[in-house]
Amino acid sequence: METGSGQNTEVAGDEPVWTGLPPGLLRMRRLLLVVWLGLLTVALGLLLGLLCGPAWAAFALLPLALIGWGWVMIGRNWRSWRYAERADDLLISRGVLWREETVVPYGRMQLVEVTSGPVERHFGLASVQLHTAAAATDAAIPGLDPAEAERLRDRLTELGEARSAGL
């Protein structure tokens, strides 16, 4: 369940309130899929057409089928990502076939960083990377709005400092 403000600090009963990823991440990933496979289709068509003849150039249409399949899979993957802030920890859930849920206790967080590469910045996105005492539990939330990523970083840092002070 996604809240309108992007914040989800309240919990209804024992159930966490989940926040999904913004649609900008879906648009970015789908555009990258179309661009790269479109370029592959053109290059393969030209190469097969020149080396093997025009009839063989029809095999260049295979990457177009991958665009259709990838379009659906990227949408399913995007919908599977969500996170929830609870009183003592952060939950991150993802995965379509193999669901994975990561629980990151606030007191175990050592570093929370916001990153944004050139493509992410072009689409107005940022990622939150969480580093914990155990390297196996490091987690990330990709494709957030920069303001939400910074809010989440500040909140997690504040909660992490408060929880670790009691250790």
Side-chain angles (χ1 to χ4, degrees):
M1 179 186 332
E2 188 172 338
T3 60
S5 66
Q7 297 181 9
N8 57 1
T9 56
E10 296 181 26
V11 177
D14 287 341
E15 285 295 313
V17 179
W18 293 99
T19 302
L21 298 181
L25 179 65
L26 179 63
R27 284 191 299 271
M28 179 188 77
R29 288 181 174 173
R30 283 182 168 168
L31 179 65
L32 290 173
L33 172 78
V34 170
V35 166
W36 286 110
L37 287 179
L39 289 173
L40 178 65
T41 300
V42 170
L44 189 60
L46 288 172
L47 188 66
L48 287 174
L50 292 173
L51 296 177
C52 302
W56 287 93
F59 283 105
L61 297 177
L62 291 176
L64 292 181
L66 288 176
I67 290 176
W69 178 77
W71 189 276
V72 172
M73 291 298 108
I74 288 172
R76 288 183 65 194
N77 179 270
W78 172 77
R79 282 189 298 280
S80 75
W81 275 88
R82 58 192 186 155
Y83 65 96
E85 299 171 57
R86 296 194 304 184
D88 296 320
D89 51 35
L90 177 73
L91 299 175
I92 301 171
S93 179
R94 64 193 168 277
V96 177
L97 294 177
W98 287 273
R99 297 286 304 159
E100 185 175 332
E101 190 168 291
T102 304
V103 179
V104 184
Y106 296 134
R108 298 300 229 163
M109 289 184 201
Q110 293 182 330
L111 174 68
V112 181
E113 60 183 344
V114 175
T115 60
S116 186
V119 176
E120 284 181 308
R121 277 194 309 275
H122 178 75
F123 284 90
L125 301 172
S127 297
V128 174
Q129 179 73 38
L130 308 164
H131 300 279
T132 62
T137 58
D138 286 358
I141 305 172
L144 296 173
D145 294 320
E148 171 64 6
E150 290 175 16
R151 183 205 66 81
L152 192 58
R153 178 200 58 209
D154 294 343
R155 178 165 163 68
L156 295 176
T157 301
E158 177 184 314
L159 289 168
E161 289 172 354
R163 298 294 193 280
S164 65
L167 294 178

